[in-house]
Amino acid sequence: MKIVMLGAPGAGKGTQAKKIAEEYGVPHISTGDIFRANIKNNTPLGQQAKIYMDKGELVPDELVVSLIMDRFDEPDCEKGYVLDGYPRTIPQAKALDKALEDNGEKLDYAIDVDVPDEVIIDRMSGRRACLNCGATYHIVNNPPKTESVCDACGNELVQRDDDKEETVKNRLDVYHDQTEPLKQYYADAGVLYTVDGTKEMEEVFKSICSIVE
Ligand code: ADP
Ligand code: ADP
Ligand code: ZN
């Protein structure tokens, strides 16, 4: 099972991708999480990615593509995967298609979590993230059991630097400009499915399950 999650930053891709991964036993691959782990460990990749992420811009395709291709070589990807935050540009989508084709495989579903920009601003300003395990919470919609502590791993929750309002606006522009065209790309390939991401998390998840089953 190979799934791509599409949607604006803050639409709920990560929230849903984690649930799908758990339900269907495939790895959840988030390029954003991989970059944040590299930043935390101050690796050369992290140092490069941070320059772009802090401005709300996309990390250059060459860097992201080589990172994701290495990830596909890990044995857990044999069962498939849920990609969250990749691809974000047409060249990234083409690189994915080529890698799949070379293995005689194809993408099964591109699921667009559709949420209007007004709702996005609220989601991002209330988002709190665990930089240890990648879990996300929302101070109103989905608070952790103990304030500022990750339910899953006990780590401290933080507001991501790029979730501050000025950066969010730029990320939304970048999304509409560079990532939204992927909807047409996957519609042309016959694998695009859209779910209403403004519904409650469980309801969104049910819609996704009915597509995948
Ligand atoms: P969100 O969860 O808000 O959609 P992510 O965690 O997926 O954000 O990504 C955070 C940042 O990491 C992006 O704004 C971008 O700078 C960088 N990034 C993540 N994935 C990609 C990608 N596939 N291509 C380019 N940049 C990426
Ligand atoms: P993305 O990975 O697309 O950037 P996240 O999954 O991190 O988005 O979700 C962004 C924020 O919105 C988080 O604070 C999350 O708890 C919250 N959220 C996710 N899905 C929903 C939903 N269906 N309703 C309300 N809030 C949600
Ligand atoms: Zn955690």
Side-chain angles (χ1 to χ4, degrees), residues 13 31 36 53 57 59 64 85 88 92 127 160 171:
K13 301 181 297 297
T31 40
R36 280 185 289 277
M53 291 170 75
E57 285 166 15
V59 176
V64 191
R88 264 182 155 95
Q92 289 182 21
R127 170 158 66 184
R160 277 165 43 183
R171 287 164 71 197

Side-chain angles (χ1 to χ4, degrees), residues 83-100:
L83 295 181
D84 161 18
Y86 184 97
R88 264 182 155 95
T89 64
I90 298 278
Q92 289 182 21
K94 288 188 172 160
L96 172 62
D97 278 348
K98 169 135 199 332
L100 288 167

Side-chain angles (χ1 to χ4, degrees), residues 8-9 18 49 51 54 58 73 75 113 117 125 134 148 165 170 176 203:
K18 272 196 180 291
I51 301 169
D54 282 349
L58 295 183
D73 288 339
V113 183
D117 286 7
S125 61
S148 299
E165 200 173 332
N170 192 34
H176 289 301
E203 234 182 288

Side-chain angles (χ1 to χ4, degrees), residues 6-17 30 84-85 88 113 115 119-120 122-128 134-139 141-143 160 163 171 196-204:
L6 296 176
K13 301 181 297 297
T15 302
Q16 297 301 329
S30 157
D84 161 18
R88 264 182 155 95
V113 183
V115 175
V119 181
I120 291 295
D122 166 72
R123 294 233 180 135
M124 310 276 265
S125 61
R127 170 158 66 184
R128 295 296 178 270
T136 60
Y137 301 84
H138 188 282
I139 49 174
N141 305 340
N142 181 30
R160 277 165 43 183
D163 278 351
R171 287 164 71 197
D196 180 354
T198 63
K199 300 265 171 64
E200 287 203 357
M201 291 175 198
E202 277 310 317
E203 234 182 288
V204 179

Side-chain angles (χ1 to χ4, degrees), residues 30-50:
S30 157
T31 40
D33 283 352
I34 298 173
F35 285 135
R36 280 185 289 277
N38 276 275
I39 291 172
K40 203 172 154 194
N41 296 325
N42 203 20
T43 68
L45 175 70
Q47 289 168 4
Q48 272 183 295
K50 188 172 165 35

